[in-house]
Amino acid sequence: MKKAYATPHAPAAIGPYSQAIQAGDFVYVSGQLPIDPATGEFAGADIASQTRQSLTNIKAILESEGLSMENVVKTTVLLQNIGDFGAMNEVYATFFSGECPARAAFAVAALPKGALVEIEAVVYCGK
């Protein structure tokens, strides 16, 4: 069995996918672009504001189902420019403390809509 997550507090999917899918004890959050759900636009033009919005979107999806960022066990960060790693990492650190999730981060040739960052997450929701 699987369950799709959907909240108006994060951007709606812009294609044939769900914001997140729960399968058993895990939730797989689709890559979140830095789109502000209130405006439909990027939250800003710099890596810090875009990282903050991508993580805020993940947080909103999780909170809609009673979960939190503490449940995140793995993230993947896609960067348009690996030179943005340091600034991304500074913002990222404000969303996680204690036992931080495992993470992969790498540069890609391009991201949808010209975003600077996209972040996906794997979340443990078991008891």
Side-chain angles (χ1 to χ4, degrees):
M1 296 287 295
K2 66 181 182 178
K3 174 185 175 184
Y5 288 16
T7 177
H9 301 292
I14 57 173
Y17 61 91
S18 299
Q19 287 176 334
I21 290 287
Q22 180 179 338
D25 288 342
F26 290 90
V27 177
Y28 302 89
V29 181
S30 294
Q32 293 299 302
L33 294 173
I35 296 172
D36 180 337
T39 66
E41 302 294 327
F42 287 155
D46 62 282
I47 191 64
S49 60
Q50 289 197 14
T51 299
R52 187 172 300 105
Q53 186 64 53
S54 290
L55 289 166
T56 297
N57 292 343
I58 290 171
K59 184 177 179 184
I61 292 166
L62 298 180
E63 288 178 348
S64 76
E65 294 291 331
L67 299 169
S68 74
M69 296 300 270
E70 290 183 10
N71 296 94
V72 177
V73 296
K74 168 76 168 69
T75 62
T76 303
V77 179
L78 308 175
L79 296 164
Q80 182 189 34
N81 180 347
I82 200 67
D84 287 336
F85 181 86
M88 174 280 298
N89 202 47
E90 285 182 32
V91 174
Y92 184 96
T94 68
F95 282 81
F96 299 103
S97 61
E99 294 180 350
C100 295
R103 179 179 76 187
F106 48 93
V108 295
L111 290 167
K113 297 185 165 227
L116 300 178
V117 65
E118 181 176 359
I119 305 173
E120 67 176 12
V122 177
V123 182
Y124 180 69
C125 62
K127 304 295 181 220

